[in-house]
Amino acid sequence: MPTLPADLRLESEEVVLREWRDGDAAALEAVCGEWDVCAFSSVPWSYSKAEAFAWIERQRRKRAAGTVLALAIERRGDGRAVGNVNLARFGEEAREAAIGYWLAPAARGQGLATAAARLLIDWGLDALGLERVEFAILPQNLASRRVAERVGARPEGVRRESHEAEGRWWDMEIWSVGR
Ligand SMILES: CC(C)(COP(=O)(O)OP(=O)(O)OC[C@H]1O[C@@H](n2cnc3c(N)ncnc32)[C@H](O)[C@@H]1OP(=O)(O)O)[C@@H](O)C(=O)NCCC(=O)NCCS
């Protein structure tokens, strides 16, 4: 497992990636219960403030354990969390990681997911020394596929029935980007 920094802030022209805070619960409220988010992340299916605080606290604990690095996405200059981007599944040697992301519906279609993914991937390759960052994307999720394409990832094929959600196994397209 890698040693993940306790506090991290990354900035580009478009976005700021920073720690999740208790005051960010509204960002979770916007996506709780959305199938595309909840079936592929740890976001709770139903919203309550207590669930949101617990989710944010879990991100801190996973960071400390070296298992997941989750950062809130802000549009630069805005100050509000509008989504999440994370690196996870680092493996024994921390040579690779899986990336995940979601945005509140009102923040979609403006290039924010692409900017956030690009920033975190560059940091992972440079600062953590990763060789490879992997995307696992539901084949019909065209927006997510475009994010992978736009950050320079390449398709590797379909991992059949590799993701379980709601009692069913789903095929996932695997994409990756490296140094
Ligand atoms: C996937 C997601 C993060 C993309 O966010 P976004 O802000 O729309 O992403 P961007 O604006 O950076 O880029 C999306 C690209 O996909 C395109 N796109 C958006 N919605 C689309 C759709 N329904 N069908 C096809 N293309 C779509 C956009 O036009 C853009 O492509 P372009 O640059 O060629 O114009 C967002 O839709 C989301 O949060 N979805 C729910 C959670 C999810 O699916 N997470 C990924 C799991 S693998």
Side-chain angles (χ1 to χ4, degrees):
M1 295 291 173
T3 302
L4 300 172
D7 194 28
L8 183 63
R9 182 182 172 90
L10 303 173
E11 295 185 34
S12 71
E13 267 178 36
E14 303 97 341
V15 289
V16 173
L17 307 183
R18 48 87 174 159
E19 305 303 310
W20 277 96
R21 306 174 193 133
D22 288 351
D24 297 326
L28 283 162
E29 187 172 11
V31 292
C32 279
E34 187 182 344
W35 193 85
D36 278 340
V37 175
C38 298
F40 298 92
S41 74
S42 59
V43 170
W45 285 91
S46 61
Y47 177 80
S48 71
K49 266 200 168 164
E51 285 276 9
F53 292 159
W55 184 88
I56 291 167
E57 179 54 29
R58 279 201 301 280
Q59 306 317 305
R60 294 193 192 109
R61 276 197 251 118
K62 290 178 191 173
R63 168 92 59 98
T67 55
V68 180
L69 171 60
L71 293 170
I73 304 170
E74 275 180 14
R75 193 192 316 270
R76 197 186 167 98
D78 178 83
R80 275 177 313 131
V82 293
N84 179 65
V85 61
N86 62 31
L87 292 174
R89 287 194 263 125
F90 293 100
E92 287 272 302
E93 293 168 20
R95 189 184 160 271
E96 61 183 321
I99 190 165
Y101 37 78
W102 52 259
L103 287 170
R108 292 177 192 165
Q110 300 154 48
L112 297 181
T114 301
R118 188 176 281 139
L119 192 54
L120 188 58
I121 288 167
D122 285 350
W123 180 84
L125 298 177
D126 293 345
L128 279 189
L130 300 175
E131 298 283 344
R132 175 189 146 82
V133 176
E134 183 174 294
F135 297 69
I137 301 172
L138 199 66
Q140 56 268 39
N141 192 340
L142 301 181
S144 187
R145 182 192 294 175
R146 281 295 292 148
V147 172
E149 279 172 353
R150 290 187 60 190
V151 301
R154 285 177 307 190
E156 297 188 339
V158 175
R159 194 181 282 159
R160 299 198 191 287
E161 302 198 355
S162 56
H163 181 84
E164 198 270 339
E166 294 205 295
R168 210 199 115 166
W169 288 90
W170 302 84
D171 291 352
M172 300 298 280
E173 270 184 15
I174 305 302
W175 292 64
S176 80
V177 60
R179 286 163 190 269

